[in-house]
Amino acid sequence: MHQFFDRSIEYLKGVGPQRAETVNKELQIFTFGDLLQHYPFRHEDRSKFYKINELQPDLPYVQIIGVFKSFKTIGVGRKARLVGVFADDSGTIEMVWFKGIQWIQRNLTIGVSYVAFGKATLFNGKFNMAHPEVEVQTEKNTKGGYLQPIYHTTEKMKKKGLDSRFFSKAMKVLLVEAVNQIQETLPDHLISQFKLVNKKTAVVSMHFPRTAQHYTSAQNRMKFEELFFVQLRLIKLKIARTEKFRGAVIDHSELLTQFYENHMPFELTGAQKRVIKEVYSDFRSGQQMNRLVQGDVGSGKTMVAFLSMLIAIGSGFQCAFMAPTEILAEQHFKGLQEQAKPLGIHIARLTGSTPKSERRLIHEGLMSGVITILVGTHALLEDKVQFKKLGIAIIDEQHRFGVAQRAKLWTKTKDVYPHVLVMTATPIPRTLAMTLYGDLDISVIDELPSGRKPIQTKHFFETKRLEMFGFVENEIEKGRQAYIVYPLIEESATLDYKDLMDGYEGITRRFPNYQISIVHGRMKAEDKEWEMQRFLKGETQIMVATTVIEVGVNVPNATIMVIENAERFGLSQLHQLRGRVGRGADQSYCVLMSGVKLSTDGRKRLRTMVDTTDGFKIAEVDLELRGPGDLMGTRQSGVLDLLVSDLVQDGEILKVARVAAQDLLKEDPNLELPKHQMIKAHIDSFSKNAVNWGRIS
Ligand code: ADP
Ligand code: MG
């Protein structure tokens, strides 16, 4: 249908097979369609001409019109440079070339009027321009009023003359024909509702805008389109799933009420209540729940999970609760057991280290329905683990589990799909969540239990180590406990391990009167567990550890978190670690230790930690510093293969596009209305290629 855009670029005038091959290899541009979407990364302003006496050192690239008065070559051999004196009616400036001297001199003529384009720099009190672009003045290039597109190329391409100008020329040739082939992909009502420019205009202006304003309008249109189609697809996926996948109807809340009235240890926060209501309403809907609960560390997600499970159990269903590590699974197991005891609920635990004999009993208990809650690690995902009637699967700290693993939980029981509740303490900026988890419903616990004192965070340079130790000692004397955490990065594991051991030694020497625990990845699981337990019971005062304690561990009496080499941690990890303290009623502290030399990003990370405890703000900064791809290893997810949009900057457009997609699918879920046929066609055309949402053809 769109053969034009599938045509190979070698057939474009001025390209040919050899150049095409280089472009294929270097930039993966194969077809007319690909080329058209090779948008410039910036434009140079060719809309104004400067007089030589108007030049300032801080101006960007500028263009001037004038004539060469003279040329001379200064120096010899490799040091030779060509200097041309260029003049207009206001003054003169020296143009300097260090390379290609002979060729340039041959091609420039004294007395002919040229347009020169370059950066004017002040040298010895006089302006000069090194390697300017020079063109004979014509009517066309004097009219001005245009923005020159600058295209990304590679060094290899530049050597072969395939530079930005090459693309600019090729694009002009291509556009002449392409313009008549470009089809509108958005219906009129959206175009007029959001005052968008049409697709033809937008594509042309992406490359050759007449003014900066035109360029902005073009970008807005292309971004809207891209984000709109991403959202449309995600929401369609969700609709398809809710239609196809019936969920168990879970609607008996008596057990929940019984617990709530007789055993509830504290008052729920408003946010917790709201999220439980949301879950309950999903339970009753008859459709499978797929809900993400985002709540900062310490916001009380476990209680929300437990109460949700009580509704399921009270309605005759079983529950699975999956945690990312053994330590966490263990802690959840104990905590839930404690709470479930008065209700007579049977809880079992399954991890990698569960002995075989015990496993068999668990498998049987699950199939017979005797076990109502199974807590564990990813061992829960093994095929052997099957439930009689699984109603809900809860995944704690989602980012450690892949999407495929999430889907695996659906196969754990016959007849119905279990409801899925994913809990994460890594706040994701809304824009990213809408794209990454656009197919999940999102609940937010944005309130901490009352009475918590915000953690105070300090940053100490290495030189203030003694001060830090003094501070730690002070707190321990008050009866509190401290964590001291060392980074452990895969690539430098041996060095890091040495750091940890040296640190441990230093600490034992500094605090001879305290009991000190150590936990790291090279220890056996049971030894780790034993040390954790000692710390938890208050038998040791200091816990020296690598990041194994990062997630979930709950020791309310621990009020100090010292993070060594804090500059080496990412923001979300720092935030997670800090979340290990501040869990009791006492004032808690986080101390970030770092070397004196910090990178700009490193400084910003530490500054952010000192300035705020708000996980969402931290996530925003993290997104800004790292970009969406690196955040949480989402690079491969495909969803984020965005061509023109930027999730950091285009949050507003994204919101609007998502609402537009929702409204449209509400009116016409299967895209059957005549006015939506262009959308349907567009989706069908790119679902074959899956990723590129803003595709031309
Ligand atoms: P997270 O959201 O990080 O998983 P937890 O569920 O571990 O947080 O809760 C942290 C601590 O706060 C636990 O000790 C828990 O018992 C307590 N907690 C949870 N909700 C409340 C509440 N509404 N009021 C007081 N304490 C609460
Ligand atoms: Mg938790």
Side-chain angles (χ1 to χ4, degrees):
M1 197 165 94
H2 289 296
Q3 281 161 10
F4 177 81
F5 291 109
D6 294 334
R7 232 176 269 171
S8 161
I9 53 168
E10 74 178 271
Y11 302 117
L12 190 65
K13 206 177 118 225
V15 180
Q18 272 180 357
R19 292 173 157 184
E21 200 189 321
T22 310
V23 177
N24 293 168
K25 267 202 199 125
E26 292 291 297
L27 296 176
Q28 277 72 52
I29 292 173
F30 297 93
T31 64
F32 285 6
D34 295 341
L35 182 61
L36 205 54
Q37 291 180 85
H38 186 56
Y39 297 122
F41 61 91
R42 68 184 169 93
H43 289 87
E44 276 170 358
D45 188 357
R46 296 295 189 105
S47 54
K48 178 174 166 44
F49 293 90
Y50 282 81
K51 289 285 182 193
I52 291 172
N53 67 0
E54 290 173 329
L55 294 178
Q56 298 285 338
D58 51 357
L59 284 173
Y61 279 64
V62 295
Q63 41 184 1
I64 44 186
I65 300 172
V67 294
F68 284 100
K69 294 286 190 192
S70 66
F71 288 102
K72 66 174 177 236
T73 306
I74 299 171
V76 286
R78 294 169 136 257
K79 289 203 176 135
R81 64 180 197 273
L82 175 68
V83 178
V85 177
F86 193 73
D88 67 8
D89 55 18
S90 76
T92 62
I93 177 172
E94 287 190 345
M95 304 294 186
V96 189
W97 288 269
F98 302 94
K99 281 185 198 157
I101 292 179
Q102 288 176 355
W103 190 87
I104 287 159
Q105 192 160 15
R106 225 180 299 131
N107 283 278
L108 295 177
T109 315
I110 289 174
V112 170
S113 200
Y114 289 103
V115 175
F117 178 74
K119 170 104 181 113
T121 42
L122 205 51
F123 186 73
N124 283 344
K126 277 200 307 198
F127 276 107
N128 73 58
M129 223 179 239
H131 285 267
E133 259 176 43
V134 182
E135 268 180 359
V136 175
Q137 184 192 2
T138 61
E139 200 184 328
K140 214 167 131 214
N141 65 19
T142 323
K143 249 197 310 191
Y146 76 100
L147 295 157
Q148 170 83 35
I150 307 297
Y151 294 94
H152 168 69
T153 69
T154 64
E155 280 310 312
K156 227 183 216 160
M157 294 178 64
K158 276 183 203 149
K159 273 194 199 127
K160 298 189 179 181
L162 304 178
D163 54 6
S164 177
R165 291 193 140 217
F166 158 79
F167 277 111
S168 171
K169 275 184 202 150
M171 215 61 83
K172 274 188 189 140
V173 174
L174 177 59
L175 272 171
V176 171
E177 279 185 70
V179 162
N180 299 315
Q181 305 282 340
I182 295 173
Q183 304 207 352
E184 186 49 69
T185 44
L186 293 173
D188 288 344
H189 68 273
L190 286 182
I191 291 190
S192 59
Q193 184 185 349
F194 297 107
K195 301 195 173 58
L196 301 171
V197 294
N198 67 48
K199 179 126 183 183
K200 263 180 212 178
T201 310
V203 173
V204 174
S205 297
M206 284 298 282
H207 295 282
F208 303 104
R210 275 196 289 134
T211 65
Q213 188 55 47
H214 284 84
Y215 182 61
T216 309
S217 309
Q219 269 192 314
N220 283 341
R221 145 80 209 216
M222 297 307 287
K223 287 176 175 184
F224 178 90
E225 169 176 341
E226 182 169 56
L227 297 170
F228 173 77
F229 278 102
V230 170
Q231 292 300 323
L232 201 65
R233 202 188 85 113
L234 287 167
I235 298 166
K236 244 177 132 313
L237 206 84
K238 189 164 133 189
I239 293 175
R241 198 168 56 202
T242 42
E243 276 174 0
K244 241 193 348 230
F245 299 147
R246 309 299 302 168
V249 176
I250 293 181
D251 59 355
H252 291 276
S253 57
E254 295 81 13
L255 189 63
L256 169 69
T257 313
Q258 189 193 332
F259 177 81
Y260 199 79
E261 284 174 359
N262 304 313
H263 310 289
M264 190 68 201
F266 38 68
E267 184 60 29
L268 291 176
T269 64
Q272 284 172 316
K273 284 184 191 160
R274 192 183 60 233
V275 175
I276 290 163
K277 274 192 196 133
E278 285 165 355
V279 170
Y280 192 30
S281 120
D282 287 350
F283 276 172
R284 281 179 300 183
S285 71
Q287 283 161 355
Q288 188 205 20
M289 170 174 79
N290 271 284
R291 187 169 284 282
L292 175 76
V293 176
Q294 277 195 59
D296 220 333
V297 276
S299 61
K301 292 185 290 296
T302 320
M303 186 48 82
V304 170
F306 181 62
L307 297 181
S308 306
M309 289 195 277
L310 288 185
I311 306 175
I313 296 167
S315 311
F317 288 90
Q318 294 164 291
C319 315
F321 190 115
M322 190 160 73
T325 63
E326 293 228 354
I327 292 182
L328 260 181
E330 189 59 30
Q331 194 161 54
H332 278 311
F333 174 67
K334 295 215 169 110
L336 291 171
Q337 214 176 22
E338 186 84 2
Q339 256 144 6
K341 207 183 292 164
L343 302 172
I345 293 171
H346 187 154
I347 305 189
R349 135 198 56 174
L350 180 71
T351 68
S353 53
T354 307
K356 251 206 175 128
S357 52
E358 209 173 299
R359 264 169 206 253
R360 224 190 28 244
L361 289 177
I362 290 173
H363 294 158
E364 284 167 18
L366 291 172
M367 282 308 286
S368 71
V370 176
I371 298 172
T372 36
I373 299 180
L374 181 64
V375 181
T377 54
H378 51 267
L380 298 197
L381 294 174
E382 287 163 13
D383 292 333
K384 279 208 180 131
V385 179
Q386 289 290 330
F387 292 76
K388 182 181 181 205
K389 210 177 168 193
L390 181 62
I392 179 171
I394 295 170
I395 310 177
D396 197 17
E397 315 294 352
Q398 140 83 13
H399 58 292
R400 303 239 170 154
F401 293 108
V403 177
Q405 288 170 311
R406 195 183 344 138
K408 205 151 181 221
L409 284 168
W410 301 1
T411 63
K412 288 285 155 196
T413 190
K414 278 199 227 91
D415 308 330
V416 287
Y417 290 97
H419 298 285
V420 176
L421 189 66
V422 171
M423 306 198 297
T424 173
T426 310
I428 307 156
R430 260 198 84 68
T431 51
L432 192 56
M434 279 194 274
T435 308
L436 268 182
Y437 298 116
D439 63 326
L440 299 181
D441 292 309
I442 298 181
S443 294
V444 182
I445 308 186
D446 49 4
E447 191 181 340
L448 290 182
S450 60
R452 295 265 171 85
K453 297 194 181 77
I455 302 165
Q456 286 183 26
T457 303
K458 301 168 196 284
H459 171 207
F460 282 44
F461 286 116
E462 193 50 50
T463 45
K464 298 258 177 96
R465 176 159 292 276
L466 294 181
E467 220 166 290
M468 181 275 279
F469 279 145
F471 180 71
V472 170
E473 184 165 32
N474 242 337
E475 286 299 302
I476 294 179
E477 287 306 312
K478 290 186 207 158
R480 319 261 186 275
Q481 290 162 283
Y483 293 103
I484 303 183
V485 175
Y486 286 80
L488 185 71
I489 317 291
E490 293 288 331
E491 305 93 70
S492 51
T494 318
L495 261 180
D496 284 346
Y497 184 68
K498 189 176 173 309
D499 263 10
L500 171 78
M501 284 323 205
D502 289 351
Y504 176 66
E505 229 185 271
I507 294 159
T508 36
R509 239 182 290 125
R510 173 64 178 76
F511 299 109
N513 300 324
Y514 298 150
Q515 297 300 311
I516 298 165
S517 284
I518 181 164
V519 168
H520 57 79
R522 294 192 180 182
M523 287 162 68
K524 280 202 214 115
E526 61 253 44
D527 295 342
K528 271 192 247 174
E529 177 58 28
W530 190 74
E531 285 293 345
M532 277 306 302
Q533 288 302 333
R534 291 211 307 148
F535 187 67
L536 188 61
K537 287 185 212 145
E539 292 169 11
T540 60
Q541 287 77 50
I542 300 176
M543 160 67 75
V544 179
T546 53
T547 44
V548 288
I549 56 150
E550 181 187 337
V551 198
V553 176
N554 196 8
V555 183
N557 191 49
T559 57
I560 305 173
M561 168 62 65
V562 178
I563 305 175
E564 296 283 352
N565 295 318
E567 74 273 25
R568 288 177 55 193
F569 288 92
L571 258 181
S572 73
Q573 225 183 354
L574 288 172
H575 182 61
Q576 287 289 324
L577 284 168
R578 180 168 62 182
R580 296 307 104 216
V581 296
R583 306 203 139 216
D586 300 311
Q587 177 64 54
S588 286
Y589 303 92
C590 175
V591 181
L592 306 168
M593 299 298 296
S594 85
V596 187
K597 271 195 195 148
L598 289 173
S599 67
T600 318
D601 281 10
R603 183 161 310 166
K604 176 138 195 196
R605 286 198 296 270
L606 299 186
R607 160 62 53 81
T608 305
M609 288 297 293
V610 171
D611 285 351
T612 183
T613 52
D614 180 334
F616 283 91
K617 274 195 198 133
I618 289 172
E620 297 282 352
V621 177
D622 205 19
L623 180 62
E624 209 178 284
L625 287 180
R626 291 202 285 165
D630 284 334
L631 211 64
M632 314 164 55
T634 49
R635 177 137 287 165
Q636 314 85 325
S637 74
V639 180
L640 294 176
D641 255 330
L642 299 172
L643 188 65
V644 287
S645 321
D646 172 342
L647 291 177
V648 180
Q649 273 155 33
D650 301 327
E652 282 311 308
I653 301 178
L654 173 59
K655 276 182 214 161
V656 173
R658 181 165 169 90
V659 172
Q662 272 163 342
D663 289 348
L664 192 135
L665 287 173
K666 205 177 283 168
E667 183 191 356
D668 182 15
N670 297 315
L671 301 176
E672 287 160 348
L673 296 178
K675 66 177 177 177
H676 296 149
Q677 285 322 292
M678 63 206 321
I679 291 183
K680 189 167 183 323
H682 191 52
I683 289 183
D684 289 346
S685 82
F686 67 49
S687 55
K688 286 180 216 111
N689 302 2
V691 279
N692 189 346
W693 309 99
R695 278 189 53 180
I696 295 289
S697 55

